[in-house]
Amino acid sequence: MAATPDPMTTRLEGEAPEITVSLDILKRGAYASPLIVAVCAVFAGLDGVWSALYAVALVLLNFFFAAGLVALTARISLGLMMGAVLFGYLARLGLIFLAVILVRDASWISLPALGFTIIVTHLGLLVWEMRYVAASLAFPALKPRKP
């Protein structure tokens, strides 16, 4: 009788689809950032531009760190990956909070533009990426392009 593998000690081998998806999100973020910056410039002027650029950088770094954390810990064990996802989310949320607190009184910041950009960019990029992610074992990262 074959023993079933323990999910807490099992590790994943092979290509990390998280990195592929994360790089695709970064690419889409680069495409969307001029529009986001322009909207913030209209409503908050030059302070809106700087705030939007700062917020987009925070969001893109957040996605990149999340994917890197999953890809790194999945190679060690699935139990570690589950813990890293949970506590990594809390840590990254805390880092975004800290990044906002550190600049809240800066002369170049517009808090409404910063908050708007952080929320809309996170949600917008996730919704945009949902159209391109394949949830199958045949293509674990991005759906193949149609010829």
Side-chain angles (χ1 to χ4, degrees):
M1 189 156 104
T4 59
D6 180 16
M8 297 307 277
T9 58
T10 301
R11 52 189 239 155
L12 297 179
E13 302 291 336
E15 191 177 330
E18 303 86 14
I19 300 297
T20 305
V21 172
S22 178
L23 292 176
D24 199 53
I25 288 175
L26 294 177
K27 179 180 71 173
R28 294 184 198 294
Y31 293 154
S33 60
L35 176 64
I36 295 167
V37 170
V39 168
C40 289
V42 168
F43 290 106
L46 191 57
D47 291 347
V49 169
W50 294 118
S51 299
L53 289 171
Y54 184 69
V56 167
L58 284 175
V59 170
L60 295 181
L61 283 171
N62 183 32
F63 282 129
F64 186 73
F65 286 150
L69 193 62
V70 171
L72 179 71
T73 56
R75 299 206 180 282
I76 299 169
S77 81
L78 294 179
L80 179 63
M81 181 193 72
M82 288 183 258
V85 167
L86 173 63
F87 295 108
Y89 171 74
L90 295 173
R92 289 180 292 107
L93 194 61
L95 287 173
I96 290 173
F97 177 75
L98 181 64
V100 170
I101 292 298
L102 289 175
V103 299
R104 73 174 180 232
D105 295 326
S107 63
W108 55 270
I109 202 77
S110 166
L111 286 177
L114 180 67
F116 169 81
T117 304
I118 288 173
I119 294 168
V120 169
T121 305
H122 266 108
L123 295 176
L125 287 175
L126 287 174
V127 169
W128 193 2
E129 191 64 22
M130 281 187 341
R131 298 183 62 218
Y132 298 98
V133 173
S136 75
L137 294 177
F139 305 104
L142 300 175
K143 292 178 185 175
R145 293 181 185 253
K146 294 180 182 177

